[in-house]
Amino acid sequence: MDSASTEFLTALLQIIWIDIVLSDDNALVIAMASRSLPKRQRRWAIVLGASAAVLLRIIYTLLFLQALALPFIKIAGGAILMMIAIRLVGEEEREEEAAAPTSIWSSIRIIVIADAVMSLDNVIAVAGAAQGSMALIIFGLVLSIPLVVLGSTFLIALLERFPALVWIGAGILGWVAGELIGSDPALAGFLRKNAVVVETWQFAAVAAAMVLFFSGLRVRRKASA
């Protein structure tokens, strides 16, 4: 096997590993967004949501990969993901509305928006491992479809049996949002100069706590309405 083939195989294995490691958060979003749908609609929401999200990742990679290094992009993405996490808590109380014709599209919309935010690190990691090969980049993004679909199906079963896990899921999404915010180039550069003791995990912890706090307020307000 020549060096070019070895490099290609190494990059391929790295991309597969990246997809396995980074697909869990996306599967969690799909599970939380579609758990209240009837089973038939749920299957379509999972498949269509995952497929649309991966298609968006491909377009995202082709058009906006360079933009990810710009200041404040990750801060905005993290804020959007926090709002989505808060919205997903308490959705099980709306099961009577799940049969509405637009409910499945509402779930798909949430899945796509959340995946667009959460795929920042995935896009960067896959593109880095691919070393400029567009074929490997697209392979890595498409590979995430079965990983996300299988993972979300498993998580939905858990959420149905243990509804309290929704809160854990919201906290995880908040943690991911905080990591995005803390890794933003502008914020990281500011902290290196002015607050070197602040680390990314601290942003993640604060964001997770904020998501749980505001989710609790939202659920309490809905219960008293």
Side-chain angles (χ1 to χ4, degrees):
M1 183 179 294
D2 56 28
S3 60
S5 298
T6 302
E7 291 178 2
F8 182 87
L9 181 60
T10 301
L12 183 64
L13 293 175
Q14 287 176 341
I15 288 172
I16 293 173
W17 177 248
I18 288 168
D19 270 327
I20 293 173
V21 171
L22 296 182
S23 291
D24 54 348
D25 295 329
N26 307 85
L28 178 60
V29 168
I30 292 178
M32 293 178 68
S34 59
R35 70 186 187 281
S36 297
L37 295 173
K39 288 189 176 180
R40 183 176 179 181
Q41 290 188 3
R42 183 188 302 163
R43 286 194 294 268
W44 279 108
I46 291 173
V47 173
L48 293 177
S51 300
V54 171
L55 177 61
L56 180 63
R57 285 193 201 185
I58 294 174
I59 298 172
Y60 200 18
T61 302
L62 296 176
L63 298 180
F64 301 114
L65 185 57
Q66 297 301 319
L68 298 180
L70 296 177
F72 308 113
I73 296 295
K74 290 188 175 183
I75 293 177
I80 293 172
L81 184 55
M82 288 178 67
M83 290 187 289
I84 289 174
I86 293 170
R87 179 181 174 184
L88 290 175
V89 174
E91 289 296 298
E92 66 274 7
E93 300 171 5
R94 299 172 55 194
E95 289 185 0
E96 67 277 4
E97 302 176 12
T102 59
S103 61
I104 186 172
W105 300 113
S106 177
S107 295
I108 292 173
R109 185 176 65 251
I110 291 174
I111 291 167
V112 172
I113 293 173
D115 192 84
V117 173
M118 298 174 66
S119 295
L120 295 174
D121 292 339
N122 183 281
V123 168
I124 293 173
V126 168
Q131 300 178 359
S133 171
M134 192 56 62
L136 281 175
I137 291 174
I138 294 176
F139 167 80
L141 297 177
V142 173
L143 176 64
S144 62
I145 294 179
L147 293 175
V148 170
V149 169
L150 292 175
S152 59
T153 302
F154 172 73
L155 287 171
I156 284 176
L158 283 180
L159 292 174
E160 284 184 332
R161 186 164 185 178
F162 306 104
L165 292 177
V166 172
W167 289 88
I168 297 177
I172 291 173
L173 296 181
W175 186 279
V176 173
E179 288 184 329
L180 275 175
I181 294 172
S183 62
D184 183 86
L187 186 58
F190 174 82
L191 293 176
R192 280 196 299 269
K193 295 179 180 178
N194 300 281
V196 292
V197 296
V198 179
E199 299 182 6
T200 301
W201 71 266
Q202 293 170 314
F203 283 95
V206 170
M210 289 177 63
V211 164
L212 294 176
F213 175 75
F214 286 108
S215 296
L217 290 181
R218 180 173 181 266
V219 170
R220 183 177 301 177
R221 185 174 66 250
K222 290 175 65 177
S224 60

